[in-house]
Amino acid sequence: MPLPSLRDPAERVSPRARTLWRLESGLEGLALLVTLVVGDLVWDRVDLPWWAHGLIALAVVGYVAVVPQWRYLVHRWEVTETAVYTQTGWWARERRIAPMSRIQTVDYEEGALARLFGLASVTVTTASAAGALVIFGLDRDRARALVDELTLKADAVPGDAT
């Protein structure tokens, strides 16, 4: 049987993932800015000029505007009869293949913010030192169906995934 090729997976994550990633990035940036301002006001050791706060705020706005869209264009996934393919990253790109015969567990997760957008993640744990494959930003119903599909396909492959 030929090995699966390392190629771009066919499926995209939900378009709502961009909004979720923007919100998460914005909240992280806001936490950074609040920490810097409070640090300036409370401790004498943190003494940034006003324009430095402006540059940091501008960097946060740029990050929130660019990175979620970039991640959306890169993040992909696909399930075939023989393997699960993922591609992740925004700066550094990672492509991984997990053969069905190596799947040990399939997990479904909805974070608090993801739940607001009807999104979930699926984690495929394998007998690999590289760790689990995670598909972020899936539509909730698609994620549940994917868990069922992968569980059935992995169960149909003989062996114990070690």
Side-chain angles (χ1 to χ4, degrees):
M1 172 162 64
L3 293 174
S5 62
L6 195 57
R7 59 181 173 76
D8 285 347
E11 304 280 339
R12 287 196 189 272
V13 299
S14 170
R16 293 188 311 271
R18 289 179 292 202
T19 306
L20 172 63
W21 292 334
R22 279 190 189 102
L23 178 62
E24 289 174 340
S25 299
L27 290 173
E28 290 168 0
L30 182 62
L32 171 67
L33 290 171
V34 167
T35 301
L36 288 173
V37 169
V38 168
D40 271 353
L41 296 174
V42 175
W43 297 288
D44 290 333
R45 285 182 251 158
V46 180
D47 192 20
L48 292 175
W50 66 268
W51 55 267
H53 291 286
L55 284 178
I56 293 168
L58 188 61
V60 166
V61 168
Y63 185 90
V64 170
V66 172
V67 172
Q69 178 63 27
W70 194 345
R71 279 181 73 184
Y72 177 74
L73 294 174
V74 172
H75 282 225
R76 293 174 171 268
W77 64 278
E78 183 177 353
V79 174
T80 67
E81 291 302 315
T82 59
V84 178
Y85 296 74
T86 62
Q87 177 176 283
T88 60
W90 65 274
W91 189 256
R93 207 169 281 184
E94 178 183 68
R95 291 184 186 158
R96 295 189 52 206
I97 300 172
M100 291 296 169
S101 62
R102 303 289 282 174
I103 293 176
Q104 293 177 325
T105 62
V106 182
D107 301 308
Y108 171 92
E109 180 184 356
E110 284 180 35
L113 288 176
R115 192 174 312 120
L116 292 173
F117 293 93
L119 299 173
S121 298
V122 172
T123 302
V124 179
T125 305
T126 66
S128 167
L133 280 75
V134 182
I135 306 169
F136 295 102
L138 293 175
D139 176 77
R140 180 184 301 137
D141 293 335
R142 181 63 182 113
R144 287 180 181 149
L146 182 59
V147 168
D148 293 343
E149 176 186 355
L150 288 174
T151 301
L152 291 172
K153 284 183 176 184
D155 192 43
V157 175
D160 64 356
T162 58

